[in-house]
Amino acid sequence: EKEELLSKGFNNWSKRDFTQFVKACEKYGRDDIDAIASEVEGKTVDEVREYTKVFWERCTELRDVDRIMAQIERGEAKIQRRVGIKRALAAKMARYVSPFHQLRFSYGTNKGKNYTEDEDRFLICMLYKLGVDKDNVYDELRLAIRYTPQFRFDWFLKSRTAVELQRRCNTLITLVERENLEMQGVDDVRKSSNNSRVGTPTIAITSSAGSSTVASTNVGKGVKRPADVNLSLVKPKSKKVKK
């Protein structure tokens, strides 16, 4: 019976394999099987896919399931946050033909005294170019600053650590996201205003022949008006009373 049970389970998966699997789920998300398989040493994609299916079906049977689930969900939340940042930066970059030269920030009261706008522009543009979802992106950003001729005499920026650059970029990302929300609100108001004009009021018109009909008031806005039609409110004809 023991042999039968072992044959139905994953007897070739060790505690180390399990730990690598959980960490990979935290790093890449539970659905990226290929990436997870690359982190579990000695396992193929098919083996990891089969193990993943059983793991999520029976994970509630684990003794420390709450800790494991919290670990994986915390990693997935970070992934979603990076995706949101990437979309926000993409929307910001799309507004400019040459972002490295034209990009502007709506600082408000968050300008600060240390960084110039040229420095901020380079930081946010280079962060987007390098890829905000990379693990060591701020180390690469620090290296890019050192090799950029524009900042060869900018000792303040060149002496910033990766942590300090990350802190500044987080501030700039917040500004970009706030600006995107404000612009989205303006677009929503504009769309709502345009939709409210769809139900255009109508007025009655009379032709030279004396017959009446109904026409839209958007005459002159792409709608041709017949030559023999006079725009006027239709008034009932008064009848003369014979004495």
Side-chain angles (χ1 to χ4, degrees):
E1 183 179 357
K2 180 180 178 180
E3 295 297 330
E4 183 181 355
L5 291 174
L6 288 174
S7 64
K8 294 180 179 179
F10 296 90
N11 57 347
N12 60 335
W13 279 69
S14 62
K15 179 66 175 179
R16 186 192 65 173
D17 297 333
F18 174 80
T19 302
Q20 291 176 346
F21 172 80
V22 172
K23 289 183 177 180
C25 287
E26 177 186 5
K27 183 177 181 180
Y28 299 109
R30 69 190 71 184
D31 297 325
D32 196 343
I33 304 299
D34 292 338
I36 295 173
S38 67
E39 296 287 326
V40 183
E41 187 178 350
K43 304 300 179 186
T44 65
V45 175
D46 291 335
E47 288 176 326
V48 172
R49 182 177 290 107
E50 184 181 0
Y51 185 85
T52 300
K53 180 181 178 181
V54 177
F55 175 84
W56 289 108
E57 288 176 352
R58 304 183 58 182
C59 62
T60 55
E61 301 175 20
L62 295 172
R63 183 172 52 186
D64 50 353
V65 59
D66 293 336
R67 179 187 62 81
I68 294 173
M69 290 300 104
Q71 179 180 347
I72 295 175
E73 290 172 359
R74 185 166 54 249
E76 290 177 332
K78 291 180 181 179
I79 294 173
Q80 292 301 316
R81 175 58 182 155
R82 287 197 294 266
V83 171
I85 292 174
K86 193 173 183 178
R87 289 175 179 172
L89 294 183
K92 177 70 173 177
M93 300 298 162
R95 300 188 194 117
Y96 304 93
V97 176
S98 180
F100 274 93
H101 299 91
Q102 300 173 335
L103 189 140
R104 295 289 183 271
F105 294 97
S106 300
Y107 287 104
T109 58
N110 296 322
K111 174 63 174 69
K113 300 179 180 179
N114 296 325
Y115 293 86
T116 66
E117 188 168 13
D118 288 339
E119 293 168 343
D120 286 343
R121 183 186 304 112
F122 178 84
L123 289 178
I124 207 69
C125 289
M126 185 56 69
L127 177 66
Y128 177 72
K129 182 178 180 179
L130 294 174
V132 69
D133 52 348
K134 296 175 66 174
D135 292 334
N136 60 338
V137 64
Y138 293 103
D139 290 320
E140 293 187 13
L141 179 59
R142 185 167 180 260
L143 193 62
I145 293 171
R146 292 192 173 190
Y147 287 98
T148 301
Q150 178 184 355
F151 304 111
R152 61 185 178 274
F153 299 123
D154 192 337
W155 305 115
F156 170 78
L157 189 61
K158 292 174 69 174
S159 62
R160 296 307 93 189
T161 65
V163 174
E164 289 172 326
L165 293 176
Q166 182 178 4
R167 189 180 302 120
R168 183 57 182 175
C169 286
N170 287 339
T171 300
L172 298 176
I173 289 169
T174 301
L175 293 177
V176 170
E177 290 178 325
R178 185 179 65 187
E179 179 183 335
N180 289 346
L181 287 175
E182 291 175 353
M183 296 192 69
Q184 182 63 42
V186 172
D187 291 340
D188 291 342
V189 171
R190 186 181 293 112
K191 290 178 181 179
S192 177
S193 177
N194 291 337
N195 290 337
S196 65
R197 296 175 184 175
V198 174
T200 309
T202 57
I203 59 174
I205 59 176
T206 57
S207 65
S208 57
S211 59
S212 64
T213 183
V214 176
S216 171
T217 57
N218 58 2
V219 174
K221 300 178 182 179
V223 180
K224 294 183 178 180
R225 180 172 56 188
D228 62 340
V229 175
N230 297 319
L231 285 175
S232 62
L233 292 175
V234 177
K235 297 182 179 179
K237 296 180 180 180
S238 57
K239 297 180 179 181
K240 295 183 180 181
V241 180
K242 294 182 180 181
K243 295 181 179 180

PDB file of all heavy atoms in Angstrom, residues 138-159:
ATOM      1  N   TYR A 138      17.924  49.716 -11.095  1.00  0.00           N
ATOM      2  CA  TYR A 138      18.488  50.948 -10.532  1.00  0.00           C
ATOM      3  C   TYR A 138      20.013  50.901 -10.499  1.00  0.00           C
ATOM      4  O   TYR A 138      20.664  51.953 -10.536  1.00  0.00           O
ATOM      5  CB  TYR A 138      17.895  51.205  -9.150  1.00  0.00           C
ATOM      6  CG  TYR A 138      16.421  51.537  -9.234  1.00  0.00           C
ATOM      7  CD1 TYR A 138      15.454  50.590  -8.913  1.00  0.00           C
ATOM      8  CD2 TYR A 138      15.997  52.782  -9.695  1.00  0.00           C
ATOM      9  CE1 TYR A 138      14.100  50.885  -9.030  1.00  0.00           C
ATOM     10  CE2 TYR A 138      14.653  53.092  -9.808  1.00  0.00           C
ATOM     11  CZ  TYR A 138      13.712  52.130  -9.480  1.00  0.00           C
ATOM     12  OH  TYR A 138      12.379  52.431  -9.606  1.00  0.00           O
ATOM     13  N   ASP A 139      20.590  49.729 -10.453  1.00  0.00           N
ATOM     14  CA  ASP A 139      22.041  49.614 -10.613  1.00  0.00           C
ATOM     15  C   ASP A 139      22.437  49.964 -12.047  1.00  0.00           C
ATOM     16  O   ASP A 139      23.446  50.640 -12.279  1.00  0.00           O
ATOM     17  CB  ASP A 139      22.498  48.192 -10.277  1.00  0.00           C
ATOM     18  CG  ASP A 139      22.374  47.880  -8.797  1.00  0.00           C
ATOM     19  OD1 ASP A 139      22.688  48.766  -7.971  1.00  0.00           O
ATOM     20  OD2 ASP A 139      21.946  46.755  -8.457  1.00  0.00           O
ATOM     21  N   GLU A 140      21.629  49.516 -13.006  1.00  0.00           N
ATOM     22  CA  GLU A 140      21.890  49.840 -14.410  1.00  0.00           C
ATOM     23  C   GLU A 140      21.665  51.337 -14.668  1.00  0.00           C
ATOM     24  O   GLU A 140      22.382  51.951 -15.468  1.00  0.00           O
ATOM     25  CB  GLU A 140      20.995  49.010 -15.321  1.00  0.00           C
ATOM     26  CG  GLU A 140      21.299  47.520 -15.302  1.00  0.00           C
ATOM     27  CD  GLU A 140      20.502  46.747 -16.338  1.00  0.00           C
ATOM     28  OE1 GLU A 140      19.902  47.392 -17.218  1.00  0.00           O
ATOM     29  OE2 GLU A 140      20.476  45.508 -16.261  1.00  0.00           O
ATOM     30  N   LEU A 141      20.678  51.908 -13.995  1.00  0.00           N
ATOM     31  CA  LEU A 141      20.412  53.338 -14.143  1.00  0.00           C
ATOM     32  C   LEU A 141      21.592  54.154 -13.617  1.00  0.00           C
ATOM     33  O   LEU A 141      21.992  55.151 -14.233  1.00  0.00           O
ATOM     34  CB  LEU A 141      19.131  53.700 -13.392  1.00  0.00           C
ATOM     35  CG  LEU A 141      18.701  55.167 -13.422  1.00  0.00           C
ATOM     36  CD1 LEU A 141      18.480  55.639 -14.862  1.00  0.00           C
ATOM     37  CD2 LEU A 141      17.422  55.362 -12.600  1.00  0.00           C
ATOM     38  N   ARG A 142      22.142  53.744 -12.516  1.00  0.00           N
ATOM     39  CA  ARG A 142      23.314  54.423 -11.932  1.00  0.00           C
ATOM     40  C   ARG A 142      24.503  54.340 -12.888  1.00  0.00           C
ATOM     41  O   ARG A 142      25.246  55.318 -13.062  1.00  0.00           O
ATOM     42  CB  ARG A 142      23.649  53.772 -10.592  1.00  0.00           C
ATOM     43  CG  ARG A 142      24.766  54.458  -9.813  1.00  0.00           C
ATOM     44  CD  ARG A 142      24.793  53.930  -8.396  1.00  0.00           C
ATOM     45  NE  ARG A 142      25.850  54.560  -7.622  1.00  0.00           N
ATOM     46  CZ  ARG A 142      27.028  53.996  -7.373  1.00  0.00           C
ATOM     47  NH1 ARG A 142      27.287  52.777  -7.833  1.00  0.00           N
ATOM     48  NH2 ARG A 142      27.937  54.629  -6.662  1.00  0.00           N
ATOM     49  N   LEU A 143      24.665  53.207 -13.524  1.00  0.00           N
ATOM     50  CA  LEU A 143      25.753  53.037 -14.482  1.00  0.00           C
ATOM     51  C   LEU A 143      25.532  53.899 -15.721  1.00  0.00           C
ATOM     52  O   LEU A 143      26.480  54.481 -16.271  1.00  0.00           O
ATOM     53  CB  LEU A 143      25.867  51.564 -14.868  1.00  0.00           C
ATOM     54  CG  LEU A 143      27.135  51.127 -15.611  1.00  0.00           C
ATOM     55  CD1 LEU A 143      28.372  51.352 -14.746  1.00  0.00           C
ATOM     56  CD2 LEU A 143      27.027  49.663 -16.018  1.00  0.00           C
ATOM     57  N   ALA A 144      24.284  53.995 -16.158  1.00  0.00           N
ATOM     58  CA  ALA A 144      23.963  54.806 -17.339  1.00  0.00           C
ATOM     59  C   ALA A 144      24.275  56.280 -17.094  1.00  0.00           C
ATOM     60  O   ALA A 144      24.715  56.994 -18.008  1.00  0.00           O
ATOM     61  CB  ALA A 144      22.492  54.626 -17.701  1.00  0.00           C
ATOM     62  N   ILE A 145      24.024  56.752 -15.876  1.00  0.00           N
ATOM     63  CA  ILE A 145      24.328  58.148 -15.535  1.00  0.00           C
ATOM     64  C   ILE A 145      25.818  58.419 -15.673  1.00  0.00           C
ATOM     65  O   ILE A 145      26.237  59.459 -16.193  1.00  0.00           O
ATOM     66  CB  ILE A 145      23.849  58.450 -14.101  1.00  0.00           C
ATOM     67  CG1 ILE A 145      22.316  58.406 -14.027  1.00  0.00           C
ATOM     68  CG2 ILE A 145      24.352  59.810 -13.635  1.00  0.00           C
ATOM     69  CD1 ILE A 145      21.765  58.481 -12.622  1.00  0.00           C
ATOM     70  N   ARG A 146      26.624  57.480 -15.219  1.00  0.00           N
ATOM     71  CA  ARG A 146      28.075  57.669 -15.259  1.00  0.00           C
ATOM     72  C   ARG A 146      28.624  57.734 -16.684  1.00  0.00           C
ATOM     73  O   ARG A 146      29.637  58.399 -16.940  1.00  0.00           O
ATOM     74  CB  ARG A 146      28.761  56.528 -14.503  1.00  0.00           C
ATOM     75  CG  ARG A 146      28.503  56.557 -13.009  1.00  0.00           C
ATOM     76  CD  ARG A 146      29.425  55.604 -12.276  1.00  0.00           C
ATOM     77  NE  ARG A 146      29.299  55.741 -10.833  1.00  0.00           N
ATOM     78  CZ  ARG A 146      30.127  55.169  -9.959  1.00  0.00           C
ATOM     79  NH1 ARG A 146      31.135  54.427 -10.399  1.00  0.00           N
ATOM     80  NH2 ARG A 146      29.965  55.339  -8.661  1.00  0.00           N
ATOM     81  N   TYR A 147      27.963  57.069 -17.619  1.00  0.00           N
ATOM     82  CA  TYR A 147      28.465  57.023 -18.990  1.00  0.00           C
ATOM     83  C   TYR A 147      27.713  57.982 -19.920  1.00  0.00           C
ATOM     84  O   TYR A 147      27.894  57.907 -21.139  1.00  0.00           O
ATOM     85  CB  TYR A 147      28.379  55.596 -19.536  1.00  0.00           C
ATOM     86  CG  TYR A 147      29.418  54.677 -18.940  1.00  0.00           C
ATOM     87  CD1 TYR A 147      29.088  53.831 -17.894  1.00  0.00           C
ATOM     88  CD2 TYR A 147      30.730  54.669 -19.407  1.00  0.00           C
ATOM     89  CE1 TYR A 147      30.042  52.988 -17.330  1.00  0.00           C
ATOM     90  CE2 TYR A 147      31.688  53.838 -18.856  1.00  0.00           C
ATOM     91  CZ  TYR A 147      31.338  52.993 -17.813  1.00  0.00           C
ATOM     92  OH  TYR A 147      32.281  52.169 -17.260  1.00  0.00           O
ATOM     93  N   THR A 148      26.896  58.858 -19.363  1.00  0.00           N
ATOM     94  CA  THR A 148      26.178  59.838 -20.175  1.00  0.00           C
ATOM     95  C   THR A 148      26.941  61.156 -20.188  1.00  0.00           C
ATOM     96  O   THR A 148      27.142  61.760 -19.117  1.00  0.00           O
ATOM     97  CB  THR A 148      24.752  60.070 -19.627  1.00  0.00           C
ATOM     98  OG1 THR A 148      24.043  58.823 -19.642  1.00  0.00           O
ATOM     99  CG2 THR A 148      24.007  61.087 -20.476  1.00  0.00           C
ATOM    100  N   PRO A 149      27.400  61.634 -21.347  1.00  0.00           N
ATOM    101  CA  PRO A 149      28.189  62.883 -21.406  1.00  0.00           C
ATOM    102  C   PRO A 149      27.460  64.081 -20.802  1.00  0.00           C
ATOM    103  O   PRO A 149      28.099  65.008 -20.302  1.00  0.00           O
ATOM    104  CB  PRO A 149      28.431  63.070 -22.911  1.00  0.00           C
ATOM    105  CG  PRO A 149      28.297  61.701 -23.491  1.00  0.00           C
ATOM    106  CD  PRO A 149      27.258  61.002 -22.666  1.00  0.00           C
ATOM    107  N   GLN A 150      26.146  64.062 -20.873  1.00  0.00           N
ATOM    108  CA  GLN A 150      25.354  65.175 -20.347  1.00  0.00           C
ATOM    109  C   GLN A 150      25.640  65.444 -18.877  1.00  0.00           C
ATOM    110  O   GLN A 150      25.564  66.592 -18.424  1.00  0.00           O
ATOM    111  CB  GLN A 150      23.858  64.867 -20.544  1.00  0.00           C
ATOM    112  CG  GLN A 150      22.919  65.926 -19.999  1.00  0.00           C
ATOM    113  CD  GLN A 150      21.473  65.507 -20.151  1.00  0.00           C
ATOM    114  OE1 GLN A 150      21.174  64.476 -20.752  1.00  0.00           O
ATOM    115  NE2 GLN A 150      20.560  66.300 -19.613  1.00  0.00           N
ATOM    116  N   PHE A 151      26.004  64.402 -18.129  1.00  0.00           N
ATOM    117  CA  PHE A 151      26.197  64.552 -16.685  1.00  0.00           C
ATOM    118  C   PHE A 151      27.654  64.316 -16.258  1.00  0.00           C
ATOM    119  O   PHE A 151      27.928  63.950 -15.120  1.00  0.00           O
ATOM    120  CB  PHE A 151      25.282  63.572 -15.937  1.00  0.00           C
ATOM    121  CG  PHE A 151      23.836  63.713 -16.272  1.00  0.00           C
ATOM    122  CD1 PHE A 151      23.176  62.706 -16.984  1.00  0.00           C
ATOM    123  CD2 PHE A 151      23.126  64.842 -15.922  1.00  0.00           C
ATOM    124  CE1 PHE A 151      21.832  62.834 -17.310  1.00  0.00           C
ATOM    125  CE2 PHE A 151      21.790  64.976 -16.248  1.00  0.00           C
ATOM    126  CZ  PHE A 151      21.139  63.971 -16.941  1.00  0.00           C
ATOM    127  N   ARG A 152      28.580  64.536 -17.167  1.00  0.00           N
ATOM    128  CA  ARG A 152      29.978  64.242 -16.833  1.00  0.00           C
ATOM    129  C   ARG A 152      30.516  65.155 -15.724  1.00  0.00           C
ATOM    130  O   ARG A 152      31.461  64.783 -15.013  1.00  0.00           O
ATOM    131  CB  ARG A 152      30.850  64.350 -18.078  1.00  0.00           C
ATOM    132  CG  ARG A 152      30.883  65.713 -18.746  1.00  0.00           C
ATOM    133  CD  ARG A 152      31.695  65.657 -20.041  1.00  0.00           C
ATOM    134  NE  ARG A 152      31.737  66.919 -20.748  1.00  0.00           N
ATOM    135  CZ  ARG A 152      30.819  67.321 -21.603  1.00  0.00           C
ATOM    136  NH1 ARG A 152      29.783  66.532 -21.847  1.00  0.00           N
ATOM    137  NH2 ARG A 152      30.920  68.489 -22.211  1.00  0.00           N
ATOM    138  N   PHE A 153      29.919  66.347 -15.542  1.00  0.00           N
ATOM    139  CA  PHE A 153      30.342  67.246 -14.469  1.00  0.00           C
ATOM    140  C   PHE A 153      29.283  67.382 -13.376  1.00  0.00           C
ATOM    141  O   PHE A 153      29.414  68.237 -12.498  1.00  0.00           O
ATOM    142  CB  PHE A 153      30.663  68.637 -15.036  1.00  0.00           C
ATOM    143  CG  PHE A 153      31.776  68.626 -16.037  1.00  0.00           C
ATOM    144  CD1 PHE A 153      31.574  69.126 -17.314  1.00  0.00           C
ATOM    145  CD2 PHE A 153      33.019  68.103 -15.714  1.00  0.00           C
ATOM    146  CE1 PHE A 153      32.607  69.117 -18.246  1.00  0.00           C
ATOM    147  CE2 PHE A 153      34.054  68.083 -16.644  1.00  0.00           C
ATOM    148  CZ  PHE A 153      33.845  68.588 -17.914  1.00  0.00           C
ATOM    149  N   ASP A 154      28.242  66.555 -13.460  1.00  0.00           N
ATOM    150  CA  ASP A 154      27.160  66.592 -12.467  1.00  0.00           C
ATOM    151  C   ASP A 154      27.519  65.624 -11.327  1.00  0.00           C
ATOM    152  O   ASP A 154      27.067  64.492 -11.281  1.00  0.00           O
ATOM    153  CB  ASP A 154      25.833  66.192 -13.121  1.00  0.00           C
ATOM    154  CG  ASP A 154      24.625  66.481 -12.230  1.00  0.00           C
ATOM    155  OD1 ASP A 154      24.795  66.562 -11.001  1.00  0.00           O
ATOM    156  OD2 ASP A 154      23.509  66.607 -12.775  1.00  0.00           O
ATOM    157  N   TRP A 155      28.318  66.100 -10.393  1.00  0.00           N
ATOM    158  CA  TRP A 155      28.811  65.231  -9.322  1.00  0.00           C
ATOM    159  C   TRP A 155      27.693  64.814  -8.377  1.00  0.00           C
ATOM    160  O   TRP A 155      27.748  63.734  -7.793  1.00  0.00           O
ATOM    161  CB  TRP A 155      29.922  65.929  -8.547  1.00  0.00           C
ATOM    162  CG  TRP A 155      31.034  66.386  -9.424  1.00  0.00           C
ATOM    163  CD1 TRP A 155      31.434  67.667  -9.676  1.00  0.00           C
ATOM    164  CD2 TRP A 155      31.887  65.552 -10.216  1.00  0.00           C
ATOM    165  NE1 TRP A 155      32.474  67.689 -10.574  1.00  0.00           N
ATOM    166  CE2 TRP A 155      32.776  66.401 -10.918  1.00  0.00           C
ATOM    167  CE3 TRP A 155      31.993  64.168 -10.410  1.00  0.00           C
ATOM    168  CZ2 TRP A 155      33.752  65.922 -11.780  1.00  0.00           C
ATOM    169  CZ3 TRP A 155      32.962  63.691 -11.264  1.00  0.00           C
ATOM    170  CH2 TRP A 155      33.838  64.558 -11.939  1.00  0.00           C
ATOM    171  N   PHE A 156      26.691  65.639  -8.229  1.00  0.00           N
ATOM    172  CA  PHE A 156      25.572  65.274  -7.350  1.00  0.00           C
ATOM    173  C   PHE A 156      24.866  64.031  -7.877  1.00  0.00           C
ATOM    174  O   PHE A 156      24.675  63.053  -7.153  1.00  0.00           O
ATOM    175  CB  PHE A 156      24.571  66.429  -7.243  1.00  0.00           C
ATOM    176  CG  PHE A 156      23.282  66.046  -6.555  1.00  0.00           C
ATOM    177  CD1 PHE A 156      23.216  65.937  -5.175  1.00  0.00           C
ATOM    178  CD2 PHE A 156      22.139  65.761  -7.298  1.00  0.00           C
ATOM    179  CE1 PHE A 156      22.040  65.559  -4.542  1.00  0.00           C
ATOM    180  CE2 PHE A 156      20.959  65.385  -6.665  1.00  0.00           C
ATOM    181  CZ  PHE A 156      20.913  65.288  -5.279  1.00  0.00           C
ATOM    182  N   LEU A 157      24.472  64.053  -9.151  1.00  0.00           N
ATOM    183  CA  LEU A 157      23.734  62.923  -9.718  1.00  0.00           C
ATOM    184  C   LEU A 157      24.621  61.686  -9.825  1.00  0.00           C
ATOM    185  O   LEU A 157      24.178  60.565  -9.568  1.00  0.00           O
ATOM    186  CB  LEU A 157      23.170  63.301 -11.084  1.00  0.00           C
ATOM    187  CG  LEU A 157      22.189  62.294 -11.706  1.00  0.00           C
ATOM    188  CD1 LEU A 157      20.968  62.127 -10.821  1.00  0.00           C
ATOM    189  CD2 LEU A 157      21.778  62.726 -13.100  1.00  0.00           C
ATOM    190  N   LYS A 158      25.883  61.865 -10.197  1.00  0.00           N
ATOM    191  CA  LYS A 158      26.788  60.734 -10.368  1.00  0.00           C
ATOM    192  C   LYS A 158      27.129  60.053  -9.049  1.00  0.00           C
ATOM    193  O   LYS A 158      27.512  58.878  -9.033  1.00  0.00           O
ATOM    194  CB  LYS A 158      28.076  61.200 -11.065  1.00  0.00           C
ATOM    195  CG  LYS A 158      27.868  61.611 -12.509  1.00  0.00           C
ATOM    196  CD  LYS A 158      29.133  62.198 -13.119  1.00  0.00           C
ATOM    197  CE  LYS A 158      30.202  61.138 -13.290  1.00  0.00           C
ATOM    198  NZ  LYS A 158      31.392  61.667 -14.018  1.00  0.00           N
ATOM    199  N   SER A 159      26.964  60.770  -7.950  1.00  0.00           N
ATOM    200  CA  SER A 159      27.299  60.192  -6.641  1.00  0.00           C
ATOM    201  C   SER A 159      26.099  59.566  -5.940  1.00  0.00           C
ATOM    202  O   SER A 159      26.223  59.068  -4.820  1.00  0.00           O
ATOM    203  CB  SER A 159      27.898  61.271  -5.729  1.00  0.00           C
ATOM    204  OG  SER A 159      26.949  62.314  -5.498  1.00  0.00           O
TER     205      SER A 159
END
